[in-house]
Amino acid sequence: MRADPPIGDDEDGGNQAEEVPPPPKRPRVTVEEVEDESERWEQEFPAEFQAGAVLEECKTQFEKLREEKEKEGLNPWYPFDRKEGWEIGRWLMTSGVSQSKMDEYLKLDAVRTGLKPSFHNKRAFLKRIDALPHGPEWYCQIFEITGDEVDGDGKKKTESLELWYRNPIDCIREFLGNPAFKEKMNFVPRRFFCNPDGTNREWSEMWTAEWWWKIQQRLPASSTICPIIIASDKTQLTRFSGDQQAWPVYLTIGNIDKETRRSASSYATILLGYIPVSKFAIVDEKKRSSITHQFFHNCMRAILEPLVEAGKKGETMDCADGFVRRMFPILAAYIGDYPEQFLVACCRENSCPRCLVEPGKRGELNARAPWREPEKVLCKKQGAHARPPEFKAHNLRLIHPFWSDLPHCDIFSCLTPDGLHEWHNGVFGDHFVNWSTDAMDGGEEELDARFRTMTPHPSLRHFKKGISLTSQWTGTERKNMEKVLLGVLANTTDHAVQCAAKGALDFICYAHFAVHTDESLALMDAAWAAFHANKVIFIELKIRHHFNINKLHKLRHYTDSFRSRGTGDGYNTEHTERLHIDFAKVGYKATNKKAYIRQMTIWLRRQESIHKFSAYLQWSMPGYVADTGAPSDDAEEEEDAEDDEVDSPPAADDNLENNSDPEDVDTSNSVTYSIGKTPFYKSQTVALIATDFGAPDFLPLLSDFLHDNSIQSATLPTDASFFPVYSQVTLSLPPIPAVTQVLGTRAARVRVIFRLPEIQA
């Protein structure tokens, strides 16, 4: 073996000129793919309980439907004659066309002679829609209300109210048997830890939380829990005139992952019923409040009655994975705004719906109070008119609650956090913004001036008119204010005010996490403690006299709720507000405004039939893709939001339509990018790119790129070479587990502001 010659000597031992090391490469930004170092350790549920046990095999809904069609010799598009007829029918039902316009369209000569559908008017068309497979049936129950007023004959006036609802067991069967949710469901409680010693537990989906684990241990062996999630909220149907309202009740199940439940286009939430809305004008004014509360509970009891027996004995149900399980539907969570939570909990508004905190201690961080217990509340309600001494102390209403007979139901722990009304529009919007404004030097004028002079940025909203003159805010606007408020308060408020703001805003950021650990929950509690440690500044500045605010107190229960039912992103009322558009407002527009609730149920059944049949066709016919008319998940909350939108760079806006569709997409790494089909400038020399576009290192960096990627070129680029110039590039970032589990949802758009000589002149 020959040793290498020493540096400076050749093989013959002669002297050789010292080699000059190559010049170092210019420093440049690189994107390096790093492996995900996060690991999880799972603790399995005790095997003796046989949670999620399979009883037998079964066929899915779509398999049964296909067999029926094949047995009867029907074409896949039946009750339509062919694909074209089905496509016309699907469009007519999902595009919002009125029934009178349907007739006009079907009578057009171009339709009759060209497309020739098998239906010639709306009556024939709707018969085919009604023949499609549909969801659970609707039922109507009449409630007779006897008032205190009397008519001309001396008899007490009565009012008939219609409760329209569906059987919740049928709705659960629809979810469990839907093949679209096959890969998105779980039937077993699970525990995950970030450390192998089990010291840092992870909390995310409902099946990773404590409630499911504990309830599963109370059930017989071979049982499967079906956690029921109910949401209700009264909404206005008319705008500008009229006073028509609806009170929808929604249902979904915790077996479906929360990312799917939150998406309106997934149809993972079903409309369970419409509670009648009445002013009870025939009832004495002093009794209206108690009558209204009890009527709500009576309606909810009628709707959820099938859950009582099913929650005790279980129901065998076909699941989308092709197996039969004994499901125990148990009410696990109730989503509602603050008034709705008090209504469900049967307590008054000056208390906490979850605990028995004293009204004067709601503003204290460490105010310890016992939890409300359903057994004690129901015991206190025994006796029609007797009120025990502690009845008033617990701020209870004399109501027979709907949840009294539901098995394994602790309604007070079921009341989940409501981010939209409790922290965005509540603590932050209704309180903290006002306190911070009063604490600023210059007050509202200074606050507005700072918002107006904020530097435009694509990811931030620019409030060009300030914020003090706006009386109504949406949740989206509140979120955009939260991003910049701490910077707005800098150098114009007391340091303690900024510390209080930082604590509150940090708490809100942590509350948005889709995945929590024991460590992040501890940081969340620490952030809230930081707010309480500095809140005294508002009393010293005579802005507040106390902090006995219900919504402020409710935030201290958030970490307990996350450990019990999973993180709060699965229970936000923003989803409920979005569903009002599809299940109430749009349906009301499709009616003739007379007996509209009944018409809305018919309209909704037909919409569900269209969606279900579209999903079936995509499953049974490979290659067929149907636009199901699914609602948009990112619908704007406000119609006039463009007045306050951020100003984009002129160069990017001028060519925005040309860059809307990606042409070149790189998917070699976890971070991908895309650019538009058409460049902003089709041909620019390297010299111009280096000078006019502020990229002096373009040529050497391009040479490094070609060399590193082993790209051979016949001619090397020079200052006279031409290249296209694009105004923006969109980076598709990998998902962050604490934010989202969906790939491709996080994107960063990088825009270039061109500073050409003619523009500067």
Side-chain angles (χ1 to χ4, degrees):
M1 178 180 293
R2 185 181 60 178
D4 293 332
I7 297 176
D9 296 339
D10 59 13
E11 295 183 0
D12 297 331
N15 294 333
Q16 181 180 359
E18 184 176 354
E19 294 182 0
V20 179
K25 294 183 178 181
R26 293 175 181 268
R28 58 192 178 94
V29 179
T30 60
V31 179
E32 182 180 357
E33 184 176 4
V34 181
E35 295 184 2
D36 186 7
E37 299 179 356
S38 62
E39 295 186 42
R40 296 196 306 174
W41 286 264
E42 181 177 356
Q43 176 186 355
E44 296 184 356
F45 192 75
E48 61 267 21
F49 291 96
Q50 301 180 35
V54 173
L55 303 183
E56 59 182 353
E57 293 185 358
C58 67
K59 295 180 179 179
T60 65
Q61 296 176 0
F62 289 172
E63 289 173 339
K64 294 176 182 178
L65 180 58
R66 181 171 60 184
E67 287 186 359
E68 291 176 3
K69 286 181 176 291
E70 292 176 350
K71 183 178 180 180
E72 298 179 12
L74 302 175
N75 70 73
W77 314 100
Y78 182 83
F80 296 90
D81 57 343
R82 61 185 189 277
K83 176 183 177 181
E84 290 74 15
W86 152 250
E87 293 289 350
I88 294 174
R90 179 193 54 77
W91 181 83
L92 289 174
M93 283 303 302
T94 59
S95 61
V97 178
S98 65
Q99 293 191 18
S100 60
K101 294 297 181 182
M102 289 180 186
D103 262 341
E104 291 183 19
Y105 174 80
L106 295 173
K107 291 178 181 178
L108 294 175
D109 291 338
V111 176
R112 288 177 177 272
T113 59
L115 300 175
K116 296 182 180 180
S118 57
F119 42 90
H120 59 282
N121 57 26
K122 68 176 183 181
R123 182 179 179 85
F125 163 64
L126 294 177
K127 281 186 177 181
R128 283 167 173 76
I129 296 295
D130 292 336
L132 291 172
H134 55 80
E137 295 288 346
W138 282 91
Y139 303 95
C140 180
Q141 182 173 337
I142 306 297
F143 285 85
E144 291 286 346
I145 305 298
T146 302
D148 299 305
E149 296 182 0
V150 296
D151 56 18
D153 297 331
K155 297 181 180 180
K156 290 187 176 181
K157 295 182 179 180
T158 60
E159 182 180 5
S160 296
L161 299 174
E162 294 182 350
L163 169 65
W164 287 88
Y165 66 99
R166 297 196 265 198
N167 190 325
I169 301 298
D170 294 340
C171 297
I172 296 170
R173 292 185 189 276
E174 188 73 16
F175 283 133
L176 293 175
N178 190 340
F181 302 136
K182 178 181 178 181
E183 305 298 331
K184 303 179 182 301
M185 286 196 291
N186 183 78
F187 301 100
V188 182
R190 310 173 74 178
R191 284 178 176 173
F192 294 104
F193 297 88
C194 298
N195 297 330
D197 57 358
T199 57
N200 190 22
R201 185 171 172 181
E202 182 182 285
W203 317 84
S204 56
E205 300 286 353
M206 182 178 282
W207 55 76
T208 68
E210 278 300 297
W211 176 87
W212 198 324
W213 191 281
K214 292 179 179 179
I215 296 298
Q216 186 72 59
Q217 294 174 332
R218 301 180 188 176
L219 300 180
S222 302
S223 301
T224 305
I225 292 180
C226 180
I228 304 300
I229 303 174
I230 298 292
S232 63
D233 184 30
K234 189 186 300 184
T235 184
Q236 194 76 23
L237 298 176
T238 53
R239 301 179 63 182
F240 307 118
S241 62
D243 190 25
Q244 305 298 344
Q245 294 178 317
W247 202 333
V249 180
Y250 305 106
L251 180 143
T252 185
I253 57 176
N255 305 92
I256 303 174
D257 68 69
K258 58 186 179 181
E259 197 84 42
T260 304
R261 297 200 312 264
R262 285 203 311 268
S263 172
S265 59
S266 68
Y267 291 89
T269 301
I270 196 169
L271 180 64
L272 184 59
Y274 288 112
I275 295 177
V277 179
S278 174
K279 298 184 181 299
F280 296 101
I282 62 175
V283 179
D284 184 79
E285 187 175 357
K286 296 180 180 179
K287 301 179 182 178
R288 286 177 189 171
S289 177
S290 59
I291 292 292
T292 301
H293 285 74
Q294 186 60 67
F295 181 72
F296 167 82
H297 283 267
N298 292 343
C299 292
M300 289 298 298
R301 183 181 298 104
I303 296 174
L304 302 180
E305 182 180 3
L307 296 180
V308 177
E309 195 68 18
K312 295 177 181 178
K313 299 181 180 180
E315 288 274 347
T316 56
M317 297 186 182
D318 298 345
C319 299
D321 59 356
F323 297 104
V324 178
R325 294 179 174 86
R326 179 166 293 279
M327 308 298 298
F328 283 75
I330 300 172
L331 181 60
Y334 201 106
I335 304 173
D337 56 18
Y338 223 54
E340 206 87 3
Q341 293 183 31
F342 286 115
L343 180 61
V344 172
C346 304
C347 61
R348 301 185 184 277
E349 285 73 8
N350 61 339
S351 57
C352 175
R354 287 177 60 97
C355 73
L356 297 173
V357 63
E358 298 179 16
K361 295 183 178 180
R362 288 172 293 178
E364 298 180 10
L365 174 63
N366 297 318
R368 300 298 177 185
W371 296 105
R372 293 184 183 272
E373 300 179 29
E375 296 80 8
K376 294 183 179 180
V377 171
L378 295 175
C379 179
K380 292 180 176 63
K381 295 182 184 302
Q382 292 179 358
H385 302 288
R387 297 195 178 191
E390 61 272 20
F391 191 89
K392 183 177 181 181
H394 290 186
N395 274 334
L396 298 175
R397 295 181 181 271
L398 193 60
I399 295 173
H400 180 41
F402 71 85
W403 40 263
S404 59
D405 298 325
L406 296 178
H408 309 290
C409 176
D410 180 1
I411 194 64
F412 305 113
S413 65
C414 288
L415 299 175
T416 54
D418 172 20
L420 177 62
H421 297 96
E422 289 178 1
W423 70 63
H424 290 313
N425 291 342
V427 172
F428 177 80
D430 295 338
H431 300 292
F432 201 83
V433 172
N434 296 330
W435 302 346
S436 303
T437 303
D438 294 338
M440 291 184 67
D441 298 332
E444 291 183 352
E445 294 183 1
E446 178 65 19
L447 182 73
D448 288 339
R450 288 180 171 238
F451 271 107
R452 287 194 297 265
T453 56
M454 185 179 72
T455 303
H457 190 275
S459 64
L460 299 177
R461 183 161 188 162
H462 190 198
F463 296 90
K464 296 183 293 186
K465 301 177 183 178
I467 66 171
S468 63
L469 297 179
T470 305
S471 58
Q472 280 190 319
W473 294 101
T474 64
T476 301
E477 291 170 327
R478 296 293 192 193
K479 293 175 187 176
N480 283 280
M481 290 170 59
E482 292 165 0
K483 293 180 182 179
V484 298
L485 181 65
L486 192 59
V488 170
L489 299 179
N491 299 325
T492 187
T493 57
D494 190 280
H495 179 69
V497 174
Q498 299 172 38
C499 291
K502 182 180 182 300
L505 294 172
D506 284 348
F507 179 88
I508 293 174
C509 290
Y510 283 121
H512 279 94
F513 278 16
V515 177
H516 265 293
T517 63
D518 287 334
E519 292 180 355
S520 64
L521 290 177
L523 292 173
M524 186 174 173
D525 286 333
W528 195 231
F531 164 77
H532 281 276
N534 293 276
K535 67 183 179 183
V536 68
I537 185 63
F538 297 110
I539 296 179
E540 295 175 357
L541 296 175
K542 299 181 179 181
I543 296 173
R544 291 289 304 176
H545 298 292
H546 63 81
F547 294 93
N548 297 322
I549 304 171
N550 283 337
K551 292 182 180 179
L552 193 66
H553 164 78
K554 179 84 182 308
L555 300 187
R556 74 179 304 272
H557 297 313
Y558 274 31
T559 53
D560 295 323
S561 180
F562 292 170
R563 289 187 172 95
S564 174
R565 301 302 197 276
T567 50
D569 58 316
Y571 311 104
N572 201 330
T573 54
E574 287 185 73
H575 178 51
T576 306
E577 299 285 349
R578 177 63 185 85
L579 293 177
H580 286 340
I581 300 176
D582 306 306
F583 294 153
K585 300 180 186 296
V586 177
Y588 177 76
K589 292 180 180 178
T591 69
N592 61 5
K593 314 303 184 289
K594 298 178 181 179
Y596 54 86
I597 294 295
R598 178 179 179 275
Q599 296 180 56
M600 289 165 64
T601 62
I602 297 174
W603 175 87
L604 180 62
R605 185 195 66 204
R606 290 168 174 167
Q607 296 293 323
E608 291 174 343
S609 298
I610 290 289
H611 169 72
K612 187 173 183 177
F613 195 62
S614 296
Y616 163 74
L617 289 175
Q618 292 184 154
W619 173 85
S620 63
M621 303 183 66
Y624 174 75
V625 178
D627 181 4
T628 59
S632 173
D633 295 327
D634 56 354
E636 290 291 335
E637 289 183 291
E638 59 278 0
E639 296 180 357
D640 56 349
E642 63 273 7
D643 293 337
D644 288 328
E645 286 294 341
V646 62
D647 294 331
S648 299
D653 283 347
D654 293 341
N655 197 45
L656 190 58
E657 65 274 8
N658 293 328
N659 290 314
S660 57
D661 297 324
E663 178 188 45
D664 300 324
V665 180
D666 173 57
T667 57
S668 58
N669 296 315
S670 59
V671 178
T672 62
Y673 66 88
S674 63
I675 57 177
K677 290 181 178 179
T678 306
F680 191 86
Y681 290 104
K682 294 183 178 180
S683 182
Q684 294 290 317
T685 64
V686 171
L688 285 176
I689 293 175
T691 57
D692 296 344
F693 294 92
D697 296 333
F698 175 76
L699 191 58
L701 290 176
L702 177 61
S703 301
D704 293 345
F705 174 80
L706 297 176
H707 177 269
D708 294 344
N709 291 273
S710 301
I711 299 176
Q712 302 295 332
S713 177
T715 58
L716 295 177
T718 64
D719 287 342
S721 301
F722 289 89
F723 290 92
V725 178
Y726 293 84
S727 62
Q728 65 184 29
V729 59
T730 300
L731 303 177
S732 179
L733 306 180
I736 298 176
V739 178
T740 180
Q741 300 293 330
V742 178
L743 296 173
T745 57
R746 299 178 61 249
R749 178 172 295 176
V750 181
R751 292 178 175 175
V752 180
I753 301 178
F754 299 119
R755 302 184 182 279
L756 301 178
E758 59 268 24
I759 296 179
Q760 294 177 350

